[in-house]
Amino acid sequence: NAVDDNNYNYKASVYPNPANDFINIKISDSPVIFNKMSICNSMGQQVKTQSITNNEFGVDISNLQNGLFFIELSNGIQSTTLRFTTAR
């Protein structure tokens, strides 16, 4: 997923996708520092949040049901959204 926010070019990806119990999120080529991650289900309900401190990290999603989810990475000013599915 390539993203262009306010003339910043960077890549944010989530893998594996579809996922089972754990996902990895990687942000590359980014001058933007994201410090919060939230996951919402397909109905827009927030199901998980966590602080982030670097541009590559893992997230335990073993408590999520099968389905489509959206990850928002933000810093209070800028944000980007990724999506993934769970399949077990």
Side-chain angles (χ1 to χ4, degrees), residues 33-81:
I33 305 297
F34 295 109
N35 58 15
K36 181 182 175 193
M37 183 238 27
S38 59
I39 298 177
C40 294
N41 62 21
S42 59
M43 296 186 303
Q45 299 166 316
Q46 189 170 295
V47 294
K48 186 172 188 84
T49 62
Q50 77 180 49
S51 295
I52 54 178
T53 57
N54 55 48
N55 284 345
E56 190 166 1
F57 58 97
V59 181
D60 180 356
I61 57 163
S62 59
N63 64 327
L64 301 182
Q65 299 293 320
N66 283 352
L68 174 64
F69 295 89
F70 297 92
I71 301 166
E72 181 182 51
L73 305 172
S74 64
N75 63 10
I77 298 169
Q78 294 170 301
S79 66
T80 189
T81 303

Side-chain angles (χ1 to χ4, degrees), residues 19-38:
N20 190 352
D21 292 329
F22 201 81
I23 55 172
N24 297 291
I25 298 171
K26 183 176 183 179
I27 306 158
S28 43
D29 303 325
S30 177
V32 178
I33 305 297
F34 295 109
N35 58 15
K36 181 182 175 193
M37 183 238 27
S38 59

